[in-house]
Structure formats: structure tokens, C-alpha cells
Amino acid sequence: MGGWQDMTAEVLEDQYSPSRWSSRLDRDTIIQAHITTMAAATQRARASVQTALHVPYGDGDREKLDIYLPPDPSETFPVLVYIHGGYWQCLRGVYLCGHSAGAHLAAMVLSTDWTEYGVVPDIKGAVLVSGVYDLEPILHTYVNDELNMSREVAQRNSPMQCIAPAASVAVACEVLVAVAQQDSPEFRRQSQEYGQALRAAGWSVSILDLAGVDHFDIIERLSEESYILTQVILNMISRA
């Protein structure tokens, strides 16, 4: 009886493609079904037990653990360390999502020349929700009372001022710029102009203007499966 060395390339591919062997679902849907099931289970687990999330175990950005504790963590208990599958490559595409000032920070991640740090982050997509992308107007508001930004600092940290051509950067991913109908005219302007500037620089950009929501419930409603922004994000992830 021959070993794997005697298999044709096609047979060997089949042998090492688990999605082709299930009798429950076809190979085109089973992986997504697995990801969906695991994501739902994760949420249920986080809602039912104590957790310590994103605990670093090393210096790398990905070197973090999510710890799920038993009902009485004061007693001695066994530890199970679960390492997910994916052939060391699947189930680790990174997606960014930021709201308001968080959208600014996510946009700055996209603006960073990561090659200067010797890394190429595997960012598949970014969702920027009701963000601020040009900080200079903030210099003239109450917000700067605490920040005390100078004009130079504001310009240096404005994503709008440091958009690189998509072909020249390490991170060139799909970007969704979302804004609320009831956001202020300035927030709406910034979202539109930033999205258009990214698109002009060759980035893959969608601009989503959401009716019937304000600056706060535009993000609060992400817990609703039928919410359009939830659906758009899920579709972005499923396409990767």
C-alpha cells in the first residue's frame, strides 16, 4: 500500500483539504459555517463567564491570549489552551473597526508606513464609523483645551494629510467609511472628503451614509444582525 508520496497532486490536495470531506455541508459553505459558529460561541462564552481578554504573553502585537475563567477562580483548576486551526494562515486576517476618535486611530494605522518597523500587518479591511480625519479644526474648539495640540501636531496626526497611494503602502485593504445622517455637517464633510481622497489615491473605498441614526446609535446598533452596517461588515469579512 503506497504512502502519500505515491498520491497524485490532486489526491493529495483532497487529503489535506478538510472542507472537502464533510457529509454535513458542502465545501463551499462549511468553513464559513464554522467561523460563524465559533464566533457565536465566543460571544456566548464571554457573556456567561469571567474573562481576561487580550492578555499579552510576548512583545508582538498578536501575542495575546483571551482567558476564560471558571465560576470560582479562587480554587485550583485545570487549564486548557486552545489554538485555532486554519493552516497557520486562515482565521487570522485582521480587521479594524473604529468609531469617532477611534475611527481616527484606525485611519492612522492605515496611514503608517509599517515597513519602517520591519512588519507588514495583515489588515484585510477597515471600517471607519463617524470619524474625524482632519484634526486642524479641533484646534479651535473646546476639545483642544485638554489636548493642547499645536498646528504642527494636528497636521502630523491627521489621516487626511498623510494619504499615500495604495500601491506604495504595506497596508492596502478594503475601507468602509460610514457616517450618520444625524452626524454634524462637519463630521459628514470629513467622512465624505476622506473617503473620496482615499479613493483618488487608489484605495478600495465604499462610503455609506446611514439614514435614521445619529453619532451614537450608528455604532450601538451593531449588535443587531439585520442592521445594514452589521451586514456590510459581515459581507466584507466573508469576502476575504
Side-chain angles (χ1 to χ4, degrees), residues 30-218:
I30 192 167
I31 292 177
Q32 184 57 48
H34 172 68
I35 293 172
T36 300
T37 299
M38 296 299 289
T42 297
Q43 293 306 312
R44 288 195 300 270
R46 290 182 178 180
S48 62
V49 299
Q50 298 181 56
T51 62
L53 304 178
H54 314 306
V55 178
Y57 64 87
D59 296 329
D61 288 341
R62 295 179 179 174
E63 295 176 344
K64 296 179 181 178
L65 297 172
D66 289 343
I67 300 174
Y68 298 79
L69 300 169
D72 186 4
S74 63
E75 298 180 358
T76 301
F77 54 87
V79 175
L80 171 68
V81 178
Y82 172 72
I83 303 174
H84 66 68
Y87 272 144
W88 312 285
Q89 54 191 315
C90 185
L91 300 179
R92 63 175 179 85
V94 177
Y95 293 86
L96 299 175
C97 181
H99 172 238
S100 196
H104 161 265
L105 294 176
M108 287 301 291
V109 171
L110 302 183
S111 301
T112 300
D113 182 1
W114 290 102
T115 58
E116 293 184 3
Y117 303 92
V119 296
V120 181
D122 186 19
I123 300 174
K124 301 294 188 184
V127 180
L128 311 176
V129 182
S130 291
V132 56
Y133 312 104
D134 179 4
L135 301 186
E136 192 163 354
I138 292 177
L139 297 176
H140 310 286
T141 72
Y142 73 93
V143 177
N144 204 41
D145 293 345
E146 287 291 329
L147 298 177
N148 198 29
M149 284 188 299
S150 65
R151 187 167 184 266
E152 188 275 331
V153 168
Q155 289 181 337
R156 188 174 71 242
N157 290 281
S158 291
M160 191 70 180
Q161 303 299 324
C162 49
I163 296 175
S168 69
V169 297
V171 179
C173 61
E174 182 178 0
V175 180
L176 170 65
V177 179
V179 66
Q181 182 184 38
Q182 297 172 32
D183 262 318
S184 72
E186 271 295 280
F187 270 83
R188 290 174 58 78
R189 175 189 67 81
Q190 288 218 16
S191 291
Q192 291 290 335
E193 291 185 1
Y194 182 62
Q196 291 167 1
L198 283 174
R199 188 177 289 160
W203 292 71
S204 175
V205 181
S206 300
I207 301 174
L208 184 60
D209 195 334
L210 288 165
V213 291
D214 59 31
H215 187 79
F216 303 98
D217 62 355
I218 189 175

